[in-house]
Amino acid sequence: MATVKDIAAAVGVSVATVSNVLNGRPNVGRLNRHKVLRAAKRLGYRPNRAAQAMRTGRTRAIGLVLPDLTNPFFPELAQAVESTARSLGLLVCLIDSQGSFAGEADGFALLMQHAVDGIIWCPVGPRLPPRLKTLTHPVVLIDRPRPGYAVVHSNYVMGGELLARYALKMGHTRVGLMSGPQNLASARQRRDGFVKAFPRDIEIAWEVSVGFDGVLSRAALDALRHRRNATLIVAGNDLIAISAIRFLGEQGVSVPDDVSITGFDNISWTDVVRPRLTTIAQPVGAIGAKAVELMQERMSGAKIPARRTVFDVALVERDSVKPRARR
């Protein structure tokens, strides 16, 4: 098995330089860093993590706390984070908080017991776990911003605006909204982007709030039964849209012949359900990779101000929206 000395000899640098690179320290030039990492991969170097942790006080492990792994968006995000982290020699410890503040708090406690070097976190809601208020580890947020923390998310307002523009293009001016949970900024921005884009041209016939888990409340079911002449239903995410399609089908209502539906997220299921779902695609791979990049910067000790990284989204047009003749 290759050692640090083997890598140093192959590259022609000191053992200290190799050690700095492998431990993620910032005081090595880009060229030498690239050479060391390439040599380590070629020689099949596998670090002794236990020994490294004893020596450096760092485990090279990061926590990833997500709110709901039953929502396909989050496993896709976890895969993006893990893939990027692994390429950088980082281990990811995944916590599913299962949509509860208690699960979130337990997850943070468990990660602290395993001495992770930092945490990438998508919060359940607006409340901060008490443990986080005293946490000295680096934290990077995904999807749901909090003051004072670096965050990576999509341009949700842009997504809402794209859907509004598309609704008008397809002739839909009377719309039912199945907004996501409005205590989350990401859900509010999706809704507001749509509602405020063309307030004179699009009429909101009715609106209900539905959890991102797609479980339809009694109010949501009643809204779907009656629809009040809405020709298009705009759902806060894909799970909500898919649940609505299923319920309407059970009521003998055809999508999109009787009513059209859009989603948000572009999860893998959207191209499998029938009709295939028109939705807004988030760049999940780029979001996960950027979160890990920010985490690595903070783990290196670099004093970087908290900043927000926002990615553009795109409309994915499929089969769940039917053009409506203008009157």
Side-chain angles (χ1 to χ4, degrees), residues 88-237:
L88 298 172
L90 299 173
L91 174 69
V92 177
C93 301
L94 175 62
I95 298 291
D96 178 5
S97 57
Q98 301 180 10
S100 77
F101 292 109
E104 201 167 60
D106 289 345
F108 271 95
L110 189 60
L111 291 174
M112 294 302 97
Q113 290 172 17
H114 284 76
V116 297
D117 292 333
I119 297 175
I120 296 174
W121 174 40
C122 182
V124 167
R127 192 173 70 196
L128 288 177
R131 183 175 292 273
L132 187 65
K133 296 176 182 178
T134 59
L135 188 68
T136 58
H137 293 58
V139 174
V140 174
L141 301 183
I142 288 181
D143 189 66
R144 300 167 186 180
R146 296 289 182 281
Y149 294 97
V151 62
V152 185
H153 64 86
S154 293
N155 190 335
Y156 300 117
V157 172
M158 176 186 180
E161 291 172 347
L162 287 173
L163 288 172
R165 192 171 294 117
Y166 180 68
L168 287 177
K169 171 188 169 185
M170 301 297 279
H172 295 280
T173 58
R174 187 171 173 84
V175 175
L177 286 183
M178 301 186 74
S179 306
Q182 295 301 288
N183 65 322
L184 296 177
S186 58
R188 290 196 304 273
Q189 289 168 12
R190 298 176 195 205
R191 175 202 180 276
D192 292 348
F194 183 89
V195 170
K196 295 178 181 179
F198 299 99
R200 296 181 180 178
D201 301 308
I202 295 178
E203 177 187 355
I204 306 303
W206 51 267
E207 180 175 3
V208 291
S209 179
V210 182
F212 276 153
D213 59 4
V215 177
L216 302 180
S217 64
R218 180 175 297 178
L221 296 176
D222 287 343
L224 289 173
R225 284 191 187 97
H226 300 102
R227 297 193 304 287
R228 296 200 289 278
N229 296 323
T231 62
L232 171 68
I233 296 171
V234 175
N237 75 353

